[in-house]
Amino acid sequence: MVSAKTLDNRQVELAPDVISALKARVKGPVLTPADAGYDESRTVWNAMIDRRPALVVRCLGTGDVIAGVQFAREHNLLLCLKGGGHNIAGLATSDGALMLDMSPMRGVWVDQSGRVAHAQAGCLLGDVDRECQLYGLAAVLGFVSATGITGLTLGGGFGYLTKRWGWTTDNVAGFDLVTADGRLVRADHENNADLFWGLCGGGGNFGVVTGIDYQLYPVGPEVVGGVVAWPAAEAPKALGLYRELAASASPELTLVAFMRPAPPAPWLPKDMHGKPIVAILACHSGNPIDGEKAVAPIKSFGSPIGDILVRRPYVQLQSLLDATQPKGRRYYWKSEYLSGIEPALCEKFMHHAANIQSPHSAVIFFQLGDAVGKLPTNHSPVGNRDARYVLNIAAAWERAEEDQRHIEWARTAWTDMKAFSTGGTYINFLNEEEGFERTAAALGGGLERLALIKGKWDPQNFFRTNRNIAPR
Ligand SMILES: Cc1cc2nc3c(=O)[nH]c(=O)nc-3n(C[C@H](O)[C@H](O)[C@H](O)COP(=O)(O)OP(=O)(O)OC[C@H]3O[C@@H](n4cnc5c(N)ncnc54)[C@H](O)[C@@H]3O)c2cc1C
């Protein structure tokens, strides 16, 4: 017997013959807590999240997704959906639920002449980048290659190419989706346009995405990208340089500034490991000659302790940060959108960086702006088109007994800096304890329309293990 949770929060026992019937309906493995592989599926990137689904279906294709949805409906089971498992709030996993683990579905098909990639919903960012770069093309995705495409896209999505082409969802041509009643539908500008609008920021509220079509752009294969780092004592000037360069950067150039203890990276001197640094991460995605000119002021600034801001393959840049964000650490983030970076905010940024409690924590400014601001706010539920930066206070540590200390650091820094926010925040950076009022801040004016779309496509709120929107 396997004990599972129903949609109305009751426990039910699933008898062996019921589980056998599910196994007969799907091609992929069905895992109970007793099976090898169950722990790999149930765990997510953030080790703060420790939940145990009742059953996992590792979906090999759309047929498995439909069978999983139908089975959950027949038994009134809570359902959870796992893409890359990178959501910091652990939305991919849920106690007692039937999990559809999409990780076996990692195919990518590139239409070179149409400049579109079709990616299955279990892809990680690196899967899409790698296939698209074979043709010198790229989709607008994020900064860490092990992140899942589906969670990232359904929440908006941003990365090095966002200033040129907008949020990830601004560049989605269509979704394939299994609905709450187990139907496979297409959502794009021509088909189910209301659903398409909702998916472009409204998360997993409307169904199980099985594939995403991304509009592609010529990028690379070489770009100018990487990091320059200085001792934290240089931060007042380095952040001044960052503000100045970021404010005038062309859409091809995306700049990220961060402060943290130096990681034990081979490009940083050993005697600096663990000591506080300030750094600028850059990507110029246009012509590399223009890129080298654009980043020259960063490379020639002060006396860097490390400089790996060079011409490199785009795919390599896309995984440059991976080692700093491993699965299995404990993570707690607070984030806000900013319309600019004022000197007073830089002062606070430096102050809280100096109080970092862990070798893995950081304070970060990501850059947005340009193309993000060119579309009307109601173009998609992501909204927040006035955002020019994201402030991310990112605590990361190893041991559970230290939770309080690191969470406290992040909360204190956020409380002190949130006055600089536009009032909006990024839905995909919300942590486990941030509730509906933060979802509302992230979705801005789109909530009402999303609730109506939810009412049409999922009136019983079958899909609820997400940033949930009540159906209307
Ligand atoms: C190290 C790291 C780096 C990041 N960098 C960026 C970045 O550069 N840019 C950016 O925009 N964001 C970034 N993020 C945030 C990221 O967008 C979110 O964590 C996102 O939720 C990850 O997607 P996932 O598929 O891995 O999520 P999961 O944790 O698997 O799922 C997240 C949510 O998506 C839903 N979902 C998953 N699969 C499906 C499906 N097939 N159909 C419907 N719903 C589904 C789940 O129900 C859940 O609610 C980063 C996160 C991490 C941890």
Side-chain angles (χ1 to χ4, degrees), residues 44-46 65 79-93 100 102 121-125 141-160 162 167-168 176-177 199 203-211 321-322 324-326 331 333 366 426-429 463-467:
V44 292
W45 170 78
N46 185 358
V65 173
L79 189 78
C80 65
L81 309 173
K82 185 178 183 192
H86 263 49
N87 188 273
I88 184 148
L91 294 174
T93 187
L100 301 187
M102 308 294 284
C123 283
L124 308 182
L125 306 194
L141 296 169
F143 296 93
V144 173
S145 78
T147 312
I149 60 161
T150 304
L152 177 137
T153 304
L154 292 174
F158 70 94
Y160 293 119
T162 301
W167 298 117
T168 299
D176 296 320
L177 179 99
L199 289 165
N205 267 285
F206 309 105
V208 188
V209 170
T210 56
L321 303 180
D322 288 10
T324 65
Q325 305 294 322
Y331 295 96
W333 292 353
F366 291 100
Y426 183 36
I427 200 158
N428 275 341
F429 283 1
F463 298 109
R464 61 181 65 177
T465 54
N466 44 42
R467 290 282 158 199

Side-chain angles (χ1 to χ4, degrees), residues 107-183:
V108 181
W109 294 266
V110 179
D111 169 359
Q112 183 180 12
S113 57
R115 288 193 179 165
V116 174
H118 178 76
Q120 286 187 305
C123 283
L124 308 182
L125 306 194
D127 301 329
V128 178
D129 285 330
R130 187 180 154 91
E131 297 304 316
C132 293
Q133 277 293 281
L134 297 176
Y135 307 94
L137 297 170
V140 179
L141 296 169
F143 296 93
V144 173
S145 78
T147 312
I149 60 161
T150 304
L152 177 137
T153 304
L154 292 174
F158 70 94
Y160 293 119
L161 305 180
T162 301
K163 288 179 68 208
R164 288 180 85 178
W165 293 298
W167 298 117
T168 299
T169 50
D170 296 342
N171 300 285
V172 171
F175 294 93
D176 296 320
L177 179 99
V178 174
T179 60
D181 49 5
R183 281 181 303 130

Side-chain angles (χ1 to χ4, degrees), residues 224-245:
V224 172
V227 192
V228 181
W230 303 266
E234 298 297 318
K237 286 187 193 148
L239 291 178
L241 175 76
Y242 176 75
R243 288 179 58 234
E244 190 187 312
L245 293 179

Side-chain angles (χ1 to χ4, degrees), residues 117-438:
H118 178 76
Q120 286 187 305
C123 283
L124 308 182
L125 306 194
D127 301 329
V128 178
D129 285 330
R130 187 180 154 91
E131 297 304 316
C132 293
Q133 277 293 281
L134 297 176
Y135 307 94
L137 297 170
V140 179
L141 296 169
F143 296 93
V144 173
S145 78
T147 312
I149 60 161
T150 304
L152 177 137
T153 304
L154 292 174
F158 70 94
Y160 293 119
L161 305 180
T162 301
K163 288 179 68 208
R164 288 180 85 178
W165 293 298
W167 298 117
T168 299
T169 50
D170 296 342
N171 300 285
V172 171
F175 294 93
D176 296 320
L177 179 99
V178 174
T179 60
D181 49 5
R183 281 181 303 130
L184 176 62
V185 300
R186 174 79 181 164
D188 57 26
H189 289 291
E190 278 84 45
N191 303 285
N192 301 309
D194 62 334
L195 179 60
F196 180 58
W197 187 88
L199 289 165
C200 289
N205 267 285
F206 309 105
V208 188
V209 170
T210 56
I212 306 177
D213 291 345
Y214 293 101
Q215 190 64 55
L216 305 179
Y217 302 94
V219 172
E222 266 199 338
V223 296
V224 172
V227 192
V228 181
W230 303 266
E234 298 297 318
K237 286 187 193 148
L239 291 178
L241 175 76
Y242 176 75
R243 288 179 58 234
E244 190 187 312
L245 293 179
S248 60
S250 72
E252 284 83 1
L253 180 62
T254 295
L255 298 173
V256 176
F258 61 90
M259 294 187 71
R260 57 165 295 165
W267 61 280
L268 290 169
K270 273 209 171 90
D271 63 346
M272 280 303 292
H273 293 177
K275 305 235 171 75
I277 58 166
V278 59
I280 297 179
L281 165 69
C283 170
H284 187 285
S285 60
N287 179 321
I289 296 171
D290 296 340
E292 282 168 344
K293 280 189 202 136
V295 303
I298 305 171
K299 291 174 75 73
S300 63
F301 175 77
S303 306
I305 54 161
D307 177 355
I308 50 165
L309 178 46
V310 293
R311 280 190 192 210
R312 62 172 79 237
Y314 177 69
V315 172
Q316 195 190 78
L317 180 66
Q318 285 289 84
S319 57
L320 194 71
L321 303 180
D322 288 10
T324 65
Q325 305 294 322
K327 179 180 176 182
R329 276 192 191 140
R330 306 177 78 77
Y331 295 96
Y332 181 93
W333 292 353
K334 295 295 276 186
S335 292
E336 296 293 335
Y337 287 130
L338 309 169
S339 57
I341 299 178
E342 296 166 34
L345 175 58
C346 286
E347 291 294 329
K348 291 182 184 292
F349 190 85
M350 290 184 284
H351 171 74
H352 294 293
N355 286 335
I356 282 177
Q357 303 284 314
S358 156
H360 311 302
S361 296
V363 282
I364 309 163
F365 291 131
F366 291 100
Q367 197 185 4
L368 297 169
D370 290 317
V372 165
K374 297 237 160 75
L375 289 167
T377 304
N378 64 359
H379 178 79
S380 75
V382 188
N384 289 291
R385 294 192 180 270
D386 55 344
R388 297 191 64 81
Y389 299 89
V390 182
L391 167 67
N392 189 17
I393 301 153
W397 65 101
E398 310 275 358
R399 300 208 324 252
E401 54 273 28
E402 293 181 1
D403 285 1
Q404 214 41 46
R405 185 152 66 98
H406 302 293
I407 291 172
E408 232 14 84
W409 167 77
R411 282 190 191 141
T412 304
W414 173 72
T415 306
D416 194 31
M417 293 194 272
K418 69 181 179 190
F420 295 89
S421 171
T422 59
T425 186
Y426 183 36
I427 200 158
N428 275 341
F429 283 1
L430 295 181
N431 68 39
E432 191 189 3
E433 67 188 21
E434 293 183 300
F436 184 72
E437 77 294 347
R438 294 287 281 168

